[in-house]
Every structure is written in structure tokens, then in C-alpha cells.
Amino acid sequence: MAMAPLVKVVLGTFAFAVFLVLAVFPAVPFLPIGRTAGSLLGAVLMVIFQVISPSEAYASIDLSILGLLFGTIVVSVYLERADAFMYLSKLLSWKSLGAKDLVCRVCLLSAISSAFFTNDTSCMILTEFVLKVAKQHNLSPQPFLVALASSSNIGSSATPIGNPQNLVVAVNGQIPFLTFFVGIAPAALVGVLVNAVAIICMYWRELSSHLKEEEDANGEVVADGDTSFYRFLPATLPHFPRSSFQERSFVLDMQGSPSIHGNSAYFNTLRYRSGVSETDMFRVPSIMLETAGNSSASSKWKAILWKSCVYLVTLGMLIALVMGVNMSWTAVTAAVALMVLDFKDAQPCLEKARHQT
């Protein structure tokens, strides 16, 4: 293989250096155009300097990788809307055994979520929940954020859809999803365990000292808390049906109002024209409350149905990937199915997906 001319090597190195600087430092003072524009600039410079031809540049674009990346990111956006990551985060504090237990849970959950929904998505979404859990337990967030970032990268290596690098390896190597997972998952699991132990050892003193502070803080809250809140329990108060209470208060307000008494002839005229009794006239708020309640119940069931559809579509996508169906078209099909089931303008979700790339 012949060596490239020195001029082409120098120009190609310069174009790659421009891309690398803008990719690592997207807001450099002399050219703050961002990573995306920096990548395009590097590609254009490669063609202008004749390092590669335009046809070679187009041929280097792998649509199957882009389709798989697009599909998985869109699916993760809809999963976030369906509160999937919120349910995962609840496992962080469910029957927690202490700070070290929380570190292990963060490592495990971030690794699992990043393996199936990309590491970038897991870090961006779970960070908020990790910070909340650390604040609730009066703990420093640093060990948990380190656990989230490191375990997300380790766990993402277990599947082809965990990160873009795995996509390139799996697609170009024509490695099926299940084969890739079986080969890499054991090593990823060992890596997550080693990472959890290393983080606990690094922050052992900090995690142990906060355990005592948390117990003291809980004792102070119980002792110094405002106990007046607990003096009025719902069980000790007289119970009135909501609808009848609203109706009676409305009738009393209307009957006691001077403006109503001053216009009694007007209300009598309305009552006789409508053919209803005076009591029925004041039942309108009750009907409105019942309508609002029915609408709220209907919206709740629609939300439950939509979330169930999102989870089923995602599960179907994972089953298809395990069965060896084309990974790119499987992810794109799942993404389009969720857009259709959402029955709304998909532009906000696509914008969010674009920001995650």
C-alpha cells in the first residue's frame, strides 16, 4: 500500500485536529460553534483538502448505525415520558440499608438502564433522581454521581445498543444482539461489581460518617418537628360526602347573598321558565364536579393505557433484537410505533432526542 503524499497527511491531520478540538471543547473562544457543527467542519475540510473524495465521504456514512441510534434514543425519550426511569429510581431508596447499599444500587441500576437505553440517556435522566435520594438521606452526592457515571459506561458495553461504539462493532462485524450480549455481559457484570467495591473503598469514611449523622438528623426531626400537623387526623374529623357538602355550601351562599334576595323575581322567572325546582337549580355545581371527576378518571385510564403500550412496544423491540431481527429496522419500527400511539405532534420528542445525541 502506497504512502499518501506528505501534503495530504498534514492537511488531513489538521482537519482531524479541528474536529477533535471542537468535539472536546465545543465552546472554544475562537470558534464556539459546538460539536455538531465542528464535526461537519472537519468532514468538509477532509473533502476540500482532497484527503477523501466526495463519493468516499458519502460511502463512509452507515445508515444502519444512524437508524439504530435514532430508534433507541427516541424509544428512551418515550420511556422517560412514561415514567420508566422514575420507577427505576424508586428502587434506589426502597428498603435501603444505608449509604453503601445505595452506592451498590446506583451502580446496578445505572448499568442495567444504560445497557438497554444508552449510557448518555441513563446519565442525563438518573442524575436528577440520584441527587434527590442523596439529599433525602443527608448524604454527599459525589460518591453516587461517580457511581452513576462509571457504572453507566461499564453497563453500556454489555449490548450493541448501549453506546454508539458498540453499534459500530456489532453492525460492521454482523454480530447478533444475543451473541454480543452473552459474550460481553459477564465481563460487564464483573466490572460493575469491582466498580462498586472500589467506590465504597474510596469513600468509606465519608459514607460511614454520614450514617450516624442521618440517624441523629432523623431523631431531631421527630423531636423538633411541628406536631400540630398530626393533631388533626382525617379519621377524627366529621365526614361529609363531597358532593352534598359542595351543594349545601353553594345553596347557603346563594340564599344568604344580598344580590340574590334583591333579584328574587328574576330567579323565580328563571325557575318557572325552566320548570325545575329551586333546589335543582343549585345542583349545577354538583353536576360540574361529577363531570370533572369522570374526566379526571378517564384521563388517568388513558395515561395508564398509554404507558402500558410504551412498555409493551419496548419489550417487543428487545424480544425482536434477541431473536436476531435486523437491529436498525427494529429500533426504527419501535420508535415510529410509539410516535403513532402517542397521537400527538412528535416534534418535541424528536427535538429532545436530537439534544441527547
Side-chain angles (χ1 to χ4, degrees):
M1 184 176 179
M3 293 289 292
L6 180 61
V7 176
K8 184 178 289 188
V9 172
V10 173
L11 293 177
T13 303
F14 172 76
F16 180 76
V18 170
F19 155 73
L20 187 62
V21 170
L22 294 177
V24 177
F25 308 103
V28 289
F30 59 87
L31 197 61
I33 60 176
R35 291 188 177 91
T36 304
S39 301
L40 290 175
L41 176 61
V44 170
L45 290 177
M46 286 287 188
V47 175
I48 292 177
F49 295 156
Q50 296 183 353
V51 177
I52 58 175
S53 64
S55 57
E56 291 174 338
Y58 284 119
S60 63
I61 299 174
D62 196 328
L63 293 179
S64 60
I65 295 176
L66 294 179
L68 182 54
L69 184 62
F70 164 79
T72 53
I73 291 178
V74 170
V75 170
S76 66
V77 169
Y78 279 100
L79 282 171
E80 180 187 0
R81 284 185 52 193
D83 298 331
F85 293 95
M86 183 188 70
Y87 298 142
L88 281 176
S89 67
K90 288 183 178 180
L91 296 176
L92 292 177
S93 56
W94 181 68
K95 294 184 178 181
S96 174
L97 302 178
K100 301 179 184 65
D101 177 55
L102 284 175
V103 170
C104 295
R105 295 189 185 198
V106 170
C107 289
L108 185 61
L109 288 178
S110 59
I112 293 174
S113 61
S114 63
F116 296 101
F117 310 118
T118 73
N119 54 353
D120 296 337
T121 301
S122 298
C123 289
M124 291 176 62
I125 298 175
L126 292 179
T127 297
E128 177 184 358
F129 299 110
V130 169
L131 291 175
K132 286 182 179 179
V133 171
K135 185 177 181 180
Q136 289 173 357
H137 291 77
N138 195 27
L139 294 166
S140 171
Q142 184 175 351
F144 306 99
L145 294 178
V146 172
L148 173 62
S150 55
S151 296
S152 294
N153 282 316
I154 296 172
S156 66
S157 63
T159 63
I161 60 176
N163 56 58
Q165 295 84 358
N166 288 11
L167 296 179
V168 176
V169 172
V171 171
N172 291 336
Q174 297 181 349
I175 306 174
F177 184 93
L178 186 59
T179 303
F180 192 103
F181 177 77
V182 172
I184 303 296
L189 179 60
V190 173
V192 171
L193 295 176
V194 172
N195 183 57
V197 173
I199 292 175
I200 291 175
C201 293
M202 287 174 57
Y203 296 96
W204 181 272
R205 181 176 300 177
E206 187 175 357
L207 295 174
S208 300
S209 61
H210 274 288
L211 195 61
K212 178 63 177 177
E213 294 176 5
E214 181 182 357
E215 294 175 356
D216 296 340
N218 291 336
E220 292 175 1
V221 168
V222 174
D224 301 334
D226 186 8
T227 57
S228 61
F229 174 79
Y230 300 98
R231 294 173 185 170
F232 302 98
L233 297 178
T236 63
L237 295 176
H239 177 70
F240 297 102
R242 180 179 178 182
S243 60
S244 67
F245 180 78
Q246 295 281 355
E247 290 173 15
R248 293 173 186 175
S249 61
F250 181 78
V251 171
L252 290 174
D253 291 341
M254 294 294 288
Q255 289 178 347
S257 174
S259 60
I260 300 301
H261 288 293
N263 297 285
S264 58
Y266 172 74
F267 279 93
N268 287 333
T269 302
L270 287 179
R271 180 164 56 87
Y272 287 124
R273 286 184 180 179
S274 60
V276 297
S277 64
E278 183 177 354
T279 305
D280 291 337
M281 288 185 64
F282 297 107
R283 283 187 174 273
V284 175
S286 176
I287 298 173
M288 294 173 63
L289 288 172
E290 291 176 2
T291 304
N294 293 335
S295 176
S296 176
S298 176
S299 300
K300 181 179 179 181
W301 281 109
K302 286 182 180 178
I304 293 175
L305 179 61
W306 182 77
K307 289 181 180 180
S308 301
C309 291
V310 173
Y311 300 149
L312 288 175
V313 170
T314 305
L315 181 61
M317 181 190 76
L318 295 177
I319 292 175
L321 291 174
V322 171
M323 292 178 62
V325 182
N326 184 281
M327 290 189 291
S328 178
W329 281 105
T330 297
V332 171
T333 302
V336 174
L338 292 176
M339 294 179 197
V340 174
L341 289 173
D342 192 26
F343 209 68
K344 295 178 183 177
D345 185 6
Q347 188 63 28
C349 286
L350 294 178
E351 285 290 332
K352 193 168 186 178
R354 182 177 67 83
H355 288 303
Q356 291 185 10
T357 56

